[in-house]
Amino acid sequence: MNLYEYEAKSIFAQFGITLPPGARITKPEELRKIHFGFPLTLKCQVLSGGRGKAGGIKFAKDLKEGEELAKNLLELTIGGSKTESLLVEPKVSIARELYLAVTLDRTHGCPIFIGSAEGGIEIESSENVVTLPIPYPFHPYVARDLAKKLGLKGSLLLKVADVATKLYRAFEALDLDLAEINPLVVTTGEDVLALDGKITVNDDALGRQELFKGWQSKHLVDLSDRECRSTMMGLNLVELDGDIGILCNGAGLTMATMDMVKKFGGQPATFLDVGGGSDQEKTLFALEIVNENPNVKVILLNILGGITACDDVAGALVNFMKKNPETKLVVRLRGNNQDVAEKMLAQSGLKLIPDLQSAVKEAVQQSKTPVGAKA
Amino acid sequence: MNLYEYEAKSIFAQFGITLPPGARITKPEELRKIHFGFPLTLKCQVLSGGRGKAGGIKFAKDLKEGEELAKNLLELTIGGSKTESLLVEPKVSIARELYLAVTLDRTHGCPIFIGSAEGGIEIESSENVVTLPIPYPFHPYVARDLAKKLGLKGSLLLKVADVATKLYRAFEALDLDLAEINPLVVTTGEDVLALDGKITVNDDALGRQELFKGWQSKHLVDLSDRECRSTMMGLNLVELDGDIGILCNGAGLTMATMDMVKKFGGQPATFLDVGGGSDQEKTLFALEIVNENPNVKVILLNILGGITACDDVAGALVNFMKKNPETKLVVRLRGNNQDVAEKMLAQSGLKLIPDLQSAVKEAVQQSKTPVGAKA
Amino acid sequence: MILVNKDTKILVQGATGKMGASHTKRMLAYGSKLVAGVTPGKGGDTVHGLPVFDTVNEAVEKTGATCSVIFVPPYLALDAGCEAIDAGLDLVVLITEGIPPQDTAKLVAQAKAKGVKLVGPNCPGVITPSETLIGILPGVIFKSGPVGMISRSGTLTYEIALVLSDAGHGQSTCVGVGGDPIKGMGYPELLRAFNDDPATEVIVLIGEIGGTAEEEAAAFIKEHVKKPVVAYIAGQTAPPGKRMGHAGAIISGGKGTAETKMKALTDAGASVATTPNEVVEMVSKARAQLARK
Amino acid sequence: MILVNKDTKILVQGATGKMGASHTKRMLAYGSKLVAGVTPGKGGDTVHGLPVFDTVNEAVEKTGATCSVIFVPPYLALDAGCEAIDAGLDLVVLITEGIPPQDTAKLVAQAKAKGVKLVGPNCPGVITPSETLIGILPGVIFKSGPVGMISRSGTLTYEIALVLSDAGHGQSTCVGVGGDPIKGMGYPELLRAFNDDPATEVIVLIGEIGGTAEEEAAAFIKEHVKKPVVAYIAGQTAPPGKRMGHAGAIISGGKGTAETKMKALTDAGASVATTPNEVVEMVSKARAQLARK
């Protein structure tokens, strides 16, 4: 779950990281109540990236300009996401900028610090990036090692190491996947402030982090409506541009099926992993949500049972076909209770295809047949 | 720092350990406001042990009896400590009693669980004691291993392991030296309650535990007034029954000096370790506090300088002798700036004895000389 | 075969839960040498004839188990995993999905410190066909033979084992390393084990988008692996920036694409398939070549 | 000599603090091979001519130090100690007094996991007379010779070294293990080292009340130590239940008395003195016996 900048900053503050003063506004006229003076920075609160380039950050020299800019910014849509609010901050007098993050590193299998002596950058494309694995349990010396590797000295080394320590504490305490300060600025007065930040909370940890209880639904704004509903049901749906709706059990098999569809000339419309051990209700929901997509001409259901019982899947299919007799279905079903499932579906006039490659080819062919295609 | 039972219990509650209902009272008439009914248990809140044997726990069947007992108990002195207040609890219907503690173990060099399937006992003299070293970082399975070793089964195993887990969490979070529940009772209704408990906070950690800020002075009641004042000054004073006031630098040397005094026929009146690197002010305070003890006939000051500068000590001595010209002093001073110190003290008429054994013998002899002894 | 065989004594943590119990039954039916279940508070019970203990330490002491397979809920996995690791087992197979990755990182560090092999989490387990099944794989799909398999995916492993078995290419051992970004055993250690295993002729590596594990595997193959490797990468057509089911399956910042992985593996001398059926063709070819030698 | 000699390269953590700086000066004056100071934020400075670095890792990389002596305040000792241990030094000497013992327990566990020798905390350090002094011991008191000393106390060690030196019994190495209940190296490891050290003829063990370390030492002596051991226990007249200066020096629940310790050591074959002067007599006697052999 990605957080808005203002939310990330409230967490930074909670862990003792110094911020510039700031206020969140949802109406231009709220600017009048702000106690710190002009010039001001107005920043769109959106979950998508590329805010700066999309014109989502503006500077106002006085209230009149501020209100005008605020009005426009509050109506701005960036990367498909509507601006949720504005974060207003005084313009900071910057001596230098740094980059600081904690994230999980696959290769080391542990959290790492990422730092750069240049901030406000796209970290993926920066040349001067320093990384440092973080042993568990953490001790602050690791943060000092990082600051040293960034070439810092004296009190600045101590201040940046202190911020890095606090950033790690937040990362660990709140089960974050990413805690990033970019840029971390050093002001002309030698203060070290988190000017902008990004936090990604680990989705699997949401159930044990009191702070984020109930936050999930309002943070799915970069997903389509169907993707959101799937997420809330515990299903992983990714919508694509094609016309073949793919449902499988297991992430790898779903990707492989998608790859095969494409290889044999078809266009996937959905990636939908229904997971292991899905029950009838969940499978039915999955079929319905794929079917809702108006681009879908044919649904390819590929279930290879390990945990999943084929008869449960068949039950869901029978129900679905009753409600949606027009929908084209290609079904590959293999595993536990396959024989029972076969009988159930035969009664509904649906033939199972036991071999995946044949099923994929059949689905591709059906997607290209105009007869009986949905309007 | 030892805590009162009611304080220990408030910490148990904070960490989720279930307690019987309870109220602390300082006046008998407060019993009338207690919302849980009779019979009641009334328990003296004192820091010294042996409360039960000293008659510090009583049961009252009704309000009348309760007020009478409360009046008496509030006036009770146990092991030299005055009763601070009473903890009042309803009588619990007990099915069985257990013992549970977390403490630091010297031999293993780490925290350990101590448990016993019989509670309400003196753990030192119990036969059925189970101990289990606790690896760091802690995981709850260690608490289950303990419960298993105590012979518990089923839901009781889970409940006791849960209490042990919470007890460890408190122990770690609050820098405790000892967290003890004795007895941990299983009620006839299968609830697991901490009926009595003891907490010792590590003295060296008091400076970083917000919860205990300002608590120290009110918890020194088992010390003499002079011992209290020394503790508040950061000095370790133990008062003894003899007449030779011993001041040394370093715990081991102070003990050795005390042992030698006794060996050569003297009686130590104080053990006072002035620590390493003491300054003039602290040394003067130490001399004064030893001199305050009316039993002290002679002060034996033994300083072997490593960190301590002899001239600082000499300065303190010169000052002390000006104020207390009557006090008999035997001084052994050796180490840094010894020559300077020697000159300073020679001017005040005091001769240094460089050898410890000779100094001890001299002090013992002076303690037996009645001439010029203090009144 | 690697890691496990018919003599491996296995205990099941979370054996009395719904999933644990049903897979205990299946593993027993397969012939796996399960010796104990562990569920705190259920000591003394039995599950499908298996004695249940309250603690791993007790189960190990009483039964001599050297391997644990874990089915506990995600937030209890760190505790259960450390219990298994600290008890001094050889191998811990962690099936549980949805463990917060910082917990996994702690488990991985603990396993490393204690010299314990950890497989998973979020994995189907390990099977040495005809000998033992440890986890949730459907045993009937796997046949005994000379193909060693390593995979980040569950059902995709079954799919490929299915077409391999149908084509007469049985498996020495299949290890599902799991779909999470932070995990226990990875490709290099398992590639080394299969390379050293006399029962394995050909190694099949089933990867997917996300991370750089396949690139690291390629480097390892180039350097150390003498046996033929057939690789398959799922997600060749996955869009960037979207998590494709597995927590670890995401192309981010242009990194972790199937393309770069396939190229690295090809460059390292592996045969790289684009469909499961191609995997079969390549294994057939490799075995035919070995037979000619 | 054990643990350290004139070639031991030493870094000083907390070298720019008041205590660290003054002892840095003393150690340099003694001839100890100090190569670096470490104080975060003071990198680039010097202290008594010694270069100061911001981190232990940098200091080790630049100077090749293998030993650290730590003078940081008590609540920073866990961090500084782990920094030293994780940097892969051989020996860490922790002088700091007043460290909360749970922090010490974490340090002890970390040192053990990484195979690093930890001496202290709350200790005077280690001296190999005429070679190197690491810590706060007054160098002038110690003379080179064949007596190996292990002690829980600071100034009492100086007292006994003083009377020994005056009587012509110099020391091979003296190790102050510290007065805290939880500590790094203990008697058994050091007894073993002195027993194996060709430069040591007689071992002097200076214990005190509290705990059972002396009883464990006695068991070790009985089993493993071939050289004569002279022991002294401070606190023979200490009252029970009172902490005598050191955090570890307390008789509680009837345990940890000088009497039981002295008896255990006597039973193990050690000569047990009741005063520092008796220690000298017993060492003289032991050396005379050795000389006759």
Side-chain angles (χ1 to χ4, degrees), chain B residues 89-354:
Chain B
E89 293 175 348
K91 233 184 143 176
V92 173
S93 158
I94 297 173
R96 67 183 289 188
E97 300 192 342
L98 302 158
Y99 174 95
L100 213 57
V102 186
T103 190
L104 281 157
D105 183 67
R106 294 167 180 246
T107 305
H108 292 95
C110 67
I112 53 165
F113 278 123
I114 306 177
S116 172
E118 43 171 356
I121 46 143
E122 297 267 322
I123 198 68
E124 288 90 351
S125 55
S126 170
E127 296 289 306
N128 302 307
V129 171
V130 165
T131 61
L132 195 61
I134 302 171
Y136 177 77
F138 170 83
H139 296 286
Y141 81 82
V142 183
R144 295 194 298 273
D145 277 344
L146 175 77
K148 183 76 209 168
K149 279 184 131 190
L150 291 175
L152 305 178
K153 285 181 186 167
S155 65
L156 189 57
L157 178 146
L158 297 181
K159 285 176 186 171
V160 170
D162 183 55
V163 172
T165 296
K166 289 165 175 169
L167 195 65
Y168 176 80
R169 304 270 189 225
F171 176 85
E172 187 184 346
L174 297 175
D175 270 312
L176 307 183
D177 280 343
L178 173 70
E180 180 188 75
I181 303 176
N182 185 22
L184 179 71
V185 301
V186 185
T187 66
T188 45
E190 279 260 306
D191 287 328
V192 175
L193 307 177
L195 196 59
D196 195 359
K198 186 177 170 187
I199 281 180
T200 307
V201 185
N202 183 259
D203 291 327
D204 286 326
L206 289 174
R208 70 178 182 190
Q209 289 292 349
E210 287 299 323
L211 179 61
F212 304 120
K213 284 258 158 88
W215 284 36
Q216 196 180 21
S217 57
K218 66 168 176 166
H219 286 81
L220 297 173
V221 292
D222 53 343
L223 299 184
S224 75
D225 167 62
R226 285 186 292 271
E227 285 172 340
C228 278
R229 279 152 57 208
S230 298
T231 302
M232 300 308 285
M233 270 293 279
L235 294 176
N236 191 213
L237 169 69
V238 178
E239 298 215 307
L240 305 161
D241 298 331
D243 51 17
I244 302 178
I246 299 170
L247 279 91
C248 296
N249 63 330
L253 186 58
T254 315
M255 280 190 276
T257 306
M258 183 179 80
D259 293 346
M260 286 167 82
V261 162
K262 199 114 180 185
K263 185 172 175 90
F264 294 118
Q267 298 298 333
T270 63
F271 165 100
L272 178 53
D273 172 12
V274 298
S278 295
D279 53 21
Q280 280 211 33
E281 194 190 352
K282 217 167 172 181
T283 309
L284 188 55
F285 172 88
L287 284 163
E288 294 282 11
I289 207 143
V290 169
N291 197 42
E292 269 184 32
N293 183 335
N295 301 328
V296 169
K297 291 187 189 157
V298 53
I299 293 177
L300 168 59
L301 178 75
N302 174 23
I303 301 286
L304 182 52
I307 308 173
T308 314
C310 292
D311 49 342
D312 281 349
V313 176
L317 273 169
V318 169
N319 262 329
F320 175 78
M321 286 186 292
K322 272 185 202 151
K323 289 194 211 167
N324 307 278
E326 304 289 289
T327 304
K328 288 196 220 168
L329 271 169
V330 176
V331 177
R332 189 270 185 132
L333 195 52
R334 192 158 168 174
N336 263 338
N337 302 333
Q338 189 183 324
D339 44 350
V340 184
E342 225 152 343
K343 277 182 204 158
M344 289 167 69
L345 292 172
Q347 287 168 359
S348 303
L350 191 72
K351 196 173 154 262
L352 295 188
I353 304 175

Side-chain angles (χ1 to χ4, degrees), chain D residues 11 36 38 53 55-66 84 87-89:
Chain D
L11 65 83
V38 173
F53 298 93
T55 68
V56 172
N57 275 323
E58 193 197 3
V60 169
E61 197 182 295
K62 299 266 173 69
T63 67
T66 59
L89 299 171

